[in-house]
Amino acid sequence: MQETMQHKGAATMTHATSSSDEHTEIHADSHEGVRRSLKNRHIQLIALGGAIGTGLFYGSSEAIGLAGPSILLAYLVGGLAIFLIVRALTEMSVEDPRSGAFSYYATRYWSRRAGFVSGWNYWVNYVLVSMVELSVVGTFVNYWFPAIPHWVSASVFLVAIAGVNLLGVSRFGEFEFWFSAIKVIAVVAMILGGIAVIVMALPTTSGIRPSPVNWFTVGGGFLPHGLMSRDHAGHWTGLLMSLCVVMFSFGGTELIGITAGETIDPTRTIPKAANGIISRILIFYIGALGVIMAVVPWNTITGSTSPFVQIFDSVGVHAAADILNFVCLTAVVSVCNSALYSNSRMLFSLSRQGNAPAFLGRLSARGVPAAGVLTSAVITAGTVVIVFLWPEFAFNYLMSITTIATMLNWAIILLTHMHFRRAVETGRGPGDLAGLEGHQALRRLRFALPHARVVAWTVLAYLAAIVVLMCFSPGYRAAVIAGPVWIILLLAIYQIRTHHDRLAGKDYTIETVDTTD
């Protein structure tokens, strides 16, 4: 089923933005032509798959090494923070479902400058994420076909992913559905297999009987490194330090906000997907790692191989490495597929705001921003070349931008939500909320974030605390230094572009509401 978003023909209103941006206009629908083709099953599996990636299959080893069994608490705390961020985003998505959600909402309810920073920050972030994923895809292919060069694997997969995205949003949804299903089945199978090992008390290579009791008795107990402590090499470890690793493993869960503009029934489907985030984290992170550490002593999980492989190797099932290699290959392709989809929609949204070249705002006959797909694919290919030629530069500096861009994206979502609430309270909300004011308007929100004002500031404070903790880790310290530089660069580019447009006499119709008091 495909239906085109219809122009509502609402009246145009003019407001000043909340910054020094020029006067702008509000139109009801700047995304005419984008097709609502994503079904409920697509959204549910996209949301599930967004929480499962190579960060869980391999990156969890680092987190376990930092905190031991108490990593389960870290995933619970981090998961709650991500849940609240996504809830803030989906409150806006339900009332005003649009492609390029982050940038569109920041532009309409905050300012054109905020939309520029939000959109380009997100786009660069996922270009670099795709860069990393494509640069390692050859590693998984070489597991079975060692003679194939890495650049060939990266090229073939990038072309295939671009082709899928050009076919239409329904094709993207279908491919992502099956990619996600493979990851979900793999994790569930591991959990059930691990539970069977525990229940039947099967002997393991460690000689320690499989049991959840091992969380408290092996290698210093549940909190072996305390909240924060230094190891023998002088590096900081502990529960608090593990939060840095944990938070970035949840990157991608906000994709459900991007899909709202192309979902058949966003008012029903998006809330259902958002509410399921906590249960997914409980099952796929806390459940999976809890089972692993009950079977495999946590202090033997070194990261030399995936803990998911170790759990089966410990009972003599050695085929797990082949299975996990296939699952990880699927996970990499899934991340790149989602990144190209979301980036093309982000360029489309930026173009409609006047924050990107006009050609990126055109749609193909299939309702796809084809120019955005191809542009994102070409730039991603260029960054992959950088990895192959200068890997140290790519991973030390470009990945620092990715790390801080993720934090910036989450912070902008929360700040934009504050502006959205202010607009709703003052009678400038979207759709049926327009004209309603105060508590009457807020009570009409169909998927309201509970205790929104307190929650938003609390999660922002939590994100600030994560940045402080990053200063204690050599691996994240470069990202903290790169953060202010990256933000200043984005703001400078915006000012230069705006100045150039004014000299050229350009005037954009931008959906922006003044949310100043």
Side-chain angles (χ1 to χ4, degrees):
M1 174 180 177
Q2 293 183 335
E3 65 182 76
T4 303
M5 294 178 64
Q6 300 298 318
H7 182 64
K8 298 178 182 178
T12 299
M13 302 173 60
T14 302
H15 293 283
T17 64
S18 56
S19 68
S20 60
D21 294 357
E22 65 274 14
H23 288 302
T24 55
E25 297 181 334
I26 306 173
H27 281 277
D29 192 356
S30 69
H31 289 219
E32 185 178 2
V34 176
R35 296 177 178 175
R36 296 187 184 277
S37 302
L38 293 175
K39 301 175 182 178
N40 179 59
R41 66 182 179 88
H42 293 145
I43 299 301
Q44 298 306 320
L45 263 295
I46 287 171
L48 276 171
I52 305 172
T54 51
L56 171 62
F57 295 122
Y58 284 94
S60 54
S61 297
E62 180 186 358
I64 292 171
L66 287 169
S70 66
I71 194 63
L72 303 179
L73 290 178
Y75 276 108
L76 184 61
V77 171
L80 177 60
I82 290 297
F83 169 68
L84 295 173
I85 292 169
V86 174
R87 276 297 306 265
L89 174 62
T90 50
E91 178 184 303
M92 297 183 285
S93 298
V94 168
E95 300 300 333
D96 197 3
R98 303 285 179 142
S99 293
F102 318 127
S103 182
Y104 168 78
Y105 300 138
T107 298
R108 177 170 182 181
Y109 301 108
W110 191 347
S111 70
R112 184 181 166 203
R113 177 185 289 108
F116 179 94
V117 171
S118 174
W120 284 109
N121 174 72
Y122 185 85
W123 183 82
V124 169
N125 182 18
Y126 275 92
V127 163
L128 297 179
V129 166
S130 298
M131 170 196 79
V132 174
E133 300 293 344
L134 284 170
S135 68
V136 301
V137 72
T139 303
F140 299 116
V141 172
N142 287 162
Y143 183 83
W144 296 299
F145 307 103
I148 297 179
H150 282 207
W151 69 267
V152 172
S153 299
S155 301
V156 169
F157 278 101
L158 181 58
V159 170
I161 290 165
V164 167
N165 276 267
L166 289 172
L167 290 175
V169 68
S170 61
R171 295 293 183 271
F172 157 77
E174 201 62 33
F175 275 83
E176 196 58 31
F177 174 87
W178 290 108
F179 288 151
S180 297
I182 291 170
K183 294 186 288 184
V184 169
I185 291 170
V187 177
V188 170
M190 191 286 303
I191 292 173
L192 294 177
I195 291 174
V197 170
I198 295 169
V199 171
M200 293 186 290
L202 297 179
T204 65
T205 55
S206 69
I208 299 174
R209 179 178 175 175
S211 171
V213 174
N214 294 339
W215 301 346
F216 307 96
T217 59
V218 172
F222 188 75
L223 202 66
H225 304 307
L227 293 178
M228 278 187 72
S229 62
R230 286 182 182 270
D231 61 16
H232 63 278
H235 297 142
W236 287 98
T237 62
L239 176 60
L240 294 180
M241 291 304 301
S242 70
L243 288 171
C244 298
V245 179
V246 164
M247 285 304 296
F248 295 110
S249 67
F250 292 131
T253 52
E254 69 280 356
L255 178 63
I256 58 176
I258 294 280
T259 62
E262 295 175 276
T263 301
I264 291 174
D265 186 7
T267 59
R268 182 178 63 88
T269 303
I270 299 301
K272 186 177 179 181
N275 279 336
I277 286 177
I278 285 294
S279 61
R280 290 193 291 274
I281 289 169
L282 287 173
I283 294 171
F284 296 112
Y285 279 89
I286 298 175
L289 297 182
V291 167
I292 286 172
M293 290 185 291
V295 176
V296 181
W298 76 266
N299 54 355
T300 65
I301 299 175
T302 61
S304 58
T305 187
S306 168
F308 285 76
V309 172
Q310 282 188 256
I311 191 173
F312 288 106
D313 277 347
S314 67
V315 292
V317 181
H318 301 298
D322 290 273
I323 297 170
L324 185 67
N325 191 73
F326 171 72
V327 173
C328 284
L329 178 59
T330 302
V332 167
V333 175
S334 173
V335 169
C336 293
N337 189 42
S338 296
L340 191 57
Y341 164 80
S342 58
N343 271 353
S344 64
R345 272 58 181 179
M346 191 59 69
L347 290 181
F348 174 73
S349 180
L350 285 165
S351 177
R352 292 299 178 94
Q353 300 160 24
N355 279 326
F359 78 93
L360 295 171
R362 299 181 190 133
L363 295 171
S364 70
R366 299 176 183 269
V368 175
V373 172
L374 295 173
T375 300
S376 297
V378 169
I379 299 300
T380 299
T383 59
V384 174
V385 171
I386 292 174
V387 173
F388 290 145
L389 295 178
W390 302 287
E392 185 175 344
F393 168 77
F395 286 104
N396 288 350
Y397 297 100
L398 292 183
M399 283 310 296
S400 295
I401 295 175
T402 297
T403 304
I404 209 65
T406 301
M407 297 290 286
L408 180 59
N409 181 49
W410 292 335
I412 289 177
I413 289 172
L414 293 168
L415 291 169
T416 300
H417 179 258
M418 294 179 186
H419 286 272
F420 169 78
R421 282 265 174 154
R422 197 174 303 158
V424 170
E425 283 184 294
T426 52
R428 292 162 294 170
D432 295 338
L433 297 173
L436 300 176
E437 296 184 7
H439 291 294
Q440 180 190 9
L442 293 178
R443 283 196 297 268
R444 290 285 295 274
L445 290 169
R446 287 170 286 185
F447 194 56
L449 174 66
H451 311 292
R453 192 181 301 274
V454 173
V455 165
W457 283 113
T458 301
V459 179
L460 281 171
Y462 172 77
L463 294 178
I466 295 296
V467 173
V468 172
L469 289 170
M470 288 166 62
C471 297
F472 290 89
S473 171
Y476 289 103
R477 201 169 293 144
V480 178
I481 297 171
V485 176
W486 173 237
I487 294 171
I488 291 170
L489 178 62
L490 286 173
L491 291 172
I493 293 172
Y494 173 79
Q495 289 302 126
I496 293 169
R497 176 178 172 80
T498 301
H499 179 69
H500 177 270
D501 289 347
R502 284 172 177 164
L503 290 177
K506 292 183 180 179
D507 186 24
Y508 294 99
T509 299
I510 310 162
E511 300 189 21
T512 307
V513 252
D514 181 10
T515 56
T516 55
D517 294 325

